[in-house]
């Protein structure tokens, strides 16, 4: 019996040793396989050096004098340089040139044969025009993976093409912490080594290229939107007069809630009749509706933000409470958040009393009436989104900037003909497809001459609906053709999108059209 136990123990030990050897061999093979894969990657063309000039800037858009004929592709990063100190030959006194100081980074969006245009994704100080530009130069580059040896081989290989870049190596990481790491270290380019795959990402963690088994492909920016084609909206209702914001809700009937300068109105779209109205005591900013029928109206009363909480039942408004500050609902949930004194609080209503719980500090520089609290990526951690002082949509998590929309959604905000234009948005949540944030994008070209106009032609504005999603990085897509006027409301129902557009001459003869587009 003792001999049998000894043999069994010996057998177990031998199996453990053999299993360990197999795992070590497999791991060594995987490492060796990855290293061989890295050695065979052909980087010629993809990261070949291209130099040229920045020849124009229009807001955040940059125009370069190099294009497809020079080897420029969408997604390429160009560093913009300004002149520094003179470089003088000490023996002859002859000026040899100037130091080149990096001042900005441009991400290429559109490429023509002999020129290209892109967006300025970072800048330090004033950008001179014209200015020298160089592709993939003076960047902070992150090499990401589990194998230090293979990353070392990759670094040596990349140094041949990115000789003036600064490299960071990261082998121990949490994917959720990557945006914070990238932002903190001002990373512009990421090489992520996985099993026999090397992904090249930009600073927003959007894929640029993928190398796999000696094959590479350009990854389209909107690959996550295949289920969302460009929609064809149709008009379903028209409302005369000024409408600040709208929301469409489906109960038994299709109900339209809209905010005017004086009241909140409910209209039955199916029956085409007005069913309720709530008079306002203050200047309206925006409003929210929860799934349970609770309504928040944010007002300005003698320049003090005040929020009223209502409930809508059986075609009647019931007043519940009032609080100083700015309130927001988390979309598709019942959580209420108070924004006050630079802080975010969770709000609980119990027995007619309000209890506040501190959540986090509010990121600085956001326009108060644009701030929303929501879980955009569906991971259970709240993000704060809003519009910064330059008009860009930004996404924060725990006070760290995760992403900045490359175009200005509200470039016209400070000279808007509408006194308090709403930041219109809605969240589409799906277990199968993930979370998608619908937001409005408005370009108003007459802002500089508003003071010279007796009435403002709102039809001069061009509006779009942008869809934003997160999957290893933020991606976006425009899903409706550009329409004239100001988009003042977005509502995403199960299989359709409703949005409102304010048109006419402000403030003499305005009207709002309600559009519907089926997915």
């Amino acid at each position: 019996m003792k001999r049998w136990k000894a043999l069994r123990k010996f057998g177990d030990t031998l199996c453990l040793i053999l299993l360990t050897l197999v795992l070590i061999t497999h791991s060594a093979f995987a490492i060796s396989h990855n290293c061989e894969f890295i050695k065979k990657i052909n980087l010629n063309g993809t990261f070949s050096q291209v130099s040229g000039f920045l020849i124009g800037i229009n807001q955040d858009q940059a125009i370069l004098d190099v294009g497809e004929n020079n080897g420029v592709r969408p997604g390429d990063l160009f560093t913009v340089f300004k002149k520094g100190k003179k470089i003088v030959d000490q023996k002859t006194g002859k000026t040899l040139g100037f130091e080149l100081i990096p001042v900005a980074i441009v991400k290429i969006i559109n490429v023509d044969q002999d020129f290209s245009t892109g967006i300025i994704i970072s800048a330090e100080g004033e950008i001179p025009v014209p200015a020298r530009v160089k592709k993939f130069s003076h960047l902070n580059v992150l090499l990401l993976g589990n194998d230090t040896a293979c990353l070392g081989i990759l670094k040596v290989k990349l140094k041949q093409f990115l000789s003036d870049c600064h490299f960071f190596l990261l082998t121990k990481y949490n994917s959720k912490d990557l945006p914070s790491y990238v932002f903190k270290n001002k990373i512009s380019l990421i090489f992520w080594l996985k099993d026999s795959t090397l992904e090249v990402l930009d600073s927003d963690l959007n894929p640029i290229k993928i190398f796999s088994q000696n094959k590479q492909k350009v990854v389209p920016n909107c690959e996550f939107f295949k289920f969302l084609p460009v929609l064809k909206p149709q008009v379903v209702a028209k409302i005369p007069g000024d409408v600040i914001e709208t929301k469409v809700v489906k109960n038994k009937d299709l109900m339209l809630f809209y905010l005017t300068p004086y009241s909140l109105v409910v209209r039955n779209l199916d029956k085409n009749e007005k069913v309720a109205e709530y008079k306002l005591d203050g200047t309206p900013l925006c409003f929210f509706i929860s799934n349970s029928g609770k309504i928040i109206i944010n007002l300005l009363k003698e320049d003090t933000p005040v929020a009223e909480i209502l409930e809508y039942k059986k075609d009647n408004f019931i007043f519940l409470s009032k609080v100083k500050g700015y309130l927001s609902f988390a979309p598709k949930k019942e959580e209420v958040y108070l924004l006050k004194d630079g802080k975010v609080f969770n709000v609980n209503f119990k027995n007619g009393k309000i209890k506040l719980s501190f959540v986090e500090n509010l990121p600085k520089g956001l326009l108060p009436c644009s701030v929303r609290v929501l879980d955009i990526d569906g991971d259970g951690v709240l993000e704060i989104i809003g519009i910064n002082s330059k008009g860009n949509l930004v996404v924060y998590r725990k006070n760290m900037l995760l992403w900045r929309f490359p175009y200005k959604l509200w470039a016209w905000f400070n000279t808007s003909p509408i006194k308090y234009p709403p930041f219109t948005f809605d969240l589409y949540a799906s277990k199968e497809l993930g979370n998608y944030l619908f937001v409005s994008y408005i370009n108003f070209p007459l802002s500089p001459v508003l003071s010279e106009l007796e009435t403002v032609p709102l039809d001069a504005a061009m509006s779009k609906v942008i869809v934003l999603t997160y999957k290893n990085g933020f991606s976006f897509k425009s899903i409706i053709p550009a329409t004239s006027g100001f988009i003042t409301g977005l509502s995403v129902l199960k299989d359709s999108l409703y949005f409102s557009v304010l048109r006419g001459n402000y403030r003499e003869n305005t009207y709002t059209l309600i559009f519907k587009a089926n997915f």
Side-chain angles (χ1 to χ4, degrees):
M1 190 69 178
K2 289 183 179 180
R3 182 180 295 177
W4 169 249
K5 286 184 178 180
L7 285 171
R8 186 175 179 182
K9 187 176 182 180
F10 174 76
D12 290 345
T13 304
L14 183 61
C15 287
L16 184 60
I17 292 171
L18 289 172
L19 180 60
T20 304
L21 288 172
V22 168
L23 290 174
I24 292 172
T25 304
H26 180 268
S27 178
F29 174 77
I31 291 172
S32 174
H33 184 64
N34 272 341
C35 291
E36 288 301 316
F37 160 66
I38 291 297
K39 291 176 182 178
K40 293 178 181 179
I41 287 179
N42 180 15
L43 297 176
N44 290 326
T46 305
F47 297 102
S48 58
Q49 291 298 306
V50 177
S51 297
F53 282 89
L54 171 72
I55 58 174
I57 297 177
N58 181 15
Q59 293 186 355
D60 275 351
Q61 188 179 59
I63 306 170
L64 278 58
D65 68 350
V66 286
E68 187 177 354
N69 292 338
N70 307 99
V72 180
R73 297 179 178 87
D76 286 348
L77 300 178
F78 278 81
T79 300
V80 183
F81 298 90
K82 71 176 181 179
K83 286 183 179 180
K85 294 180 180 177
K86 281 185 180 180
I87 301 174
V88 180
D89 189 317
Q90 297 298 321
K91 293 182 180 180
T92 64
K94 183 180 178 181
T95 299
L96 303 177
F98 295 85
E99 289 181 353
L100 292 178
I101 302 172
V103 291
I105 298 173
V106 173
K107 180 180 178 181
I108 300 300
I109 303 297
N110 299 307
V111 179
D112 210 310
Q113 286 189 344
D114 297 311
F115 73 95
S116 54
T117 57
I119 53 174
I120 300 170
I121 58 176
S122 68
E124 296 181 8
E126 188 175 347
I127 303 173
V129 178
R132 287 188 176 274
V133 296
K134 191 175 179 182
K135 178 180 167 184
F136 294 121
S137 175
H138 286 77
L139 304 176
N140 284 349
V141 179
L142 174 63
L143 306 184
L144 194 62
N146 297 318
D147 181 7
T148 306
C150 291
L151 292 181
I153 295 172
L154 177 61
K155 180 180 177 181
V156 172
K157 196 175 183 76
L158 287 172
K159 273 286 187 180
Q160 300 174 38
F161 302 90
L162 311 176
S163 58
D164 52 11
C165 292
H166 181 65
F167 287 86
F168 294 75
L169 268 67
L170 193 61
T171 55
K172 295 181 180 179
Y173 57 88
N174 185 325
S175 297
K176 290 184 179 180
D177 296 331
L178 276 180
S180 299
Y181 183 91
V182 168
F183 178 77
K184 180 181 178 181
N185 293 285
K186 297 182 178 180
I187 302 295
S188 299
L189 200 59
I190 302 164
F191 292 82
W192 196 341
L193 179 61
K194 301 179 182 179
D195 293 335
S196 299
T197 300
L198 178 65
E199 292 186 9
V200 185
L201 313 173
D202 62 19
S203 58
D204 294 326
L205 301 183
N206 290 319
I208 298 173
K209 291 176 177 68
I210 293 177
F211 296 89
S212 179
Q213 297 295 342
N214 293 325
K215 295 179 181 178
Q216 67 181 58
K217 62 178 181 178
V218 177
V219 181
N221 192 37
C222 300
E223 65 171 333
F224 308 122
F225 299 103
K226 293 178 182 177
F227 83 102
L228 267 180
V230 176
L231 306 179
K232 298 179 180 179
Q234 294 182 330
V235 177
V236 295
K238 181 178 179 180
I239 306 167
D242 292 343
V243 172
I244 297 170
E245 188 177 10
T246 69
K247 296 188 188 302
V248 174
V249 176
K250 178 69 174 177
N251 294 322
K252 290 181 180 179
D253 293 329
L254 201 62
M255 310 299 288
L256 171 67
F257 291 74
Y258 60 94
L259 197 61
T260 76
Y262 314 104
S263 60
L264 178 63
V265 182
V266 185
R267 190 172 194 85
N268 187 317
L269 286 179
D270 291 332
K271 298 178 181 178
N272 193 26
E273 61 182 18
K274 176 179 169 182
V275 294
E277 185 172 4
Y278 178 82
K279 297 294 183 180
L280 303 176
D281 183 20
T283 303
L285 298 176
C286 65
F287 75 106
F288 302 92
I289 303 177
S290 74
N291 294 336
S292 65
K294 286 189 174 62
I295 297 172
I296 290 172
I297 306 176
N298 286 298
L299 307 159
L300 274 182
K301 198 169 181 180
E302 297 178 354
D303 293 328
T304 300
V306 176
E308 293 189 2
I309 302 99
L310 315 173
E311 190 169 13
Y312 181 72
K313 279 186 177 181
K314 298 179 180 179
D315 297 340
N316 286 300
F317 288 104
I318 303 169
F319 177 83
L320 298 179
S321 185
K322 182 186 290 188
V323 61
K324 285 187 177 181
Y326 182 93
L327 287 182
S328 174
F329 269 127
K332 311 306 179 187
K333 295 185 177 181
E334 292 297 310
E335 285 94 343
V336 179
Y337 295 91
L338 172 68
L339 313 177
K340 187 178 181 181
D341 300 328
K343 295 179 174 61
V344 181
F345 300 90
N346 182 265
V347 181
N348 287 316
F349 300 95
K350 199 169 184 179
N351 299 326
K353 295 184 178 180
I354 296 176
K355 183 180 179 182
L356 302 180
S357 303
F358 175 75
V359 177
E360 61 181 282
N361 291 318
L362 193 65
K364 295 181 180 179
L366 298 182
L367 299 175
C369 57
S370 75
V371 176
R372 306 289 187 268
V373 182
L374 70 162
D375 179 12
I376 190 173
D377 53 3
D379 65 351
V381 180
L382 290 172
E383 283 82 39
I384 291 178
I385 67 170
I387 306 294
N388 63 18
S389 57
K390 294 183 178 180
N392 297 97
L393 173 67
V394 288
V395 182
Y396 284 86
R397 179 190 289 151
K398 297 180 179 178
N399 248 264
M400 292 296 294
L401 180 66
L402 292 184
W403 187 76
R404 179 177 72 97
F405 188 71
Y407 304 106
K408 294 181 179 180
L409 295 186
W410 274 8
W412 42 269
F413 176 80
N414 292 323
T415 53
S416 169
I418 306 172
K419 190 173 183 181
Y420 297 106
F423 168 46
T424 55
F425 84 108
D426 200 4
L427 186 71
Y428 176 88
S430 166
K431 292 182 179 179
E432 297 79 18
L433 299 172
N435 289 358
Y436 292 82
L437 185 69
F438 289 68
V439 298
S440 59
Y441 164 67
I442 303 170
N443 180 23
F444 187 63
L446 298 183
S447 295
V449 296
L450 280 181
S451 59
E452 302 173 14
L453 301 175
E454 292 183 6
T455 60
V456 180
L458 299 179
D459 295 9
M462 295 302 293
S463 298
K464 295 181 180 179
V465 176
I466 304 292
V467 184
L468 177 68
T469 190
Y470 183 93
K471 187 175 181 181
N472 299 323
F474 286 96
S475 299
F476 61 91
K477 177 183 180 180
S478 176
I479 62 159
I480 66 165
T483 183
S484 60
F486 282 76
I487 291 181
T488 54
L490 288 174
S491 301
V492 183
L493 302 187
K494 187 176 181 181
D495 56 358
S496 54
L497 165 70
Y498 288 85
F499 64 95
S500 57
V501 179
L502 181 65
R503 291 180 178 173
N505 292 317
Y506 193 81
R507 281 192 169 243
E508 286 188 357
N509 182 23
T510 59
Y511 61 94
T512 294
L513 295 179
I514 309 298
F515 288 87
K516 177 186 178 183
N518 294 322
F519 294 145

